[in-house]
Amino acid sequence: MTKIAYVDKDNCTSCNQCADNLPKYFQMDDNDTSETHIGGENVNQAQIPEEDWKTVQKEMDECPGECIHWRK
């Protein structure tokens, strides 16, 4: 089972925290806002495997812009 993570770019503060802490799933775009990815693909629709849910959730919880979410 997987969950899909995405960034609400309108609320991203461009702090780079998620991309620095977890580059496996987060990168900064050309406008210096965060987006999720899987190996550069599935941009802002990253399917996170269950073994990394807690790690991604930690980034969500610590995000200053509170802009990282799970798709429902």
Side-chain angles (χ1 to χ4, degrees), residues 4-46:
I4 297 175
Y6 74 98
V7 175
D8 176 356
K9 291 175 170 269
D10 291 336
N11 292 320
C12 179
T13 63
S14 301
C15 71
N16 230 36
Q17 178 176 299
C18 59
D20 287 344
N21 292 342
L22 198 56
K24 179 178 180 178
Y25 296 122
F26 296 95
Q27 63 188 9
M28 303 306 283
D29 67 13
D30 293 337
N31 297 317
D32 204 31
T33 56
S34 178
E35 58 193 12
T36 61
H37 74 101
I38 298 288
E41 302 293 322
N42 299 77
V43 173
N44 225 20
Q45 296 189 48

Side-chain angles (χ1 to χ4, degrees), residues 2-6 44-45 57 60 68-72:
T2 60
K3 288 184 178 182
I4 297 175
Y6 74 98
N44 225 20
Q45 296 189 48
Q57 184 64 54
M60 289 178 177
I68 309 168
H69 307 284
W70 297 114
R71 275 224 198 274
K72 298 184 188 223

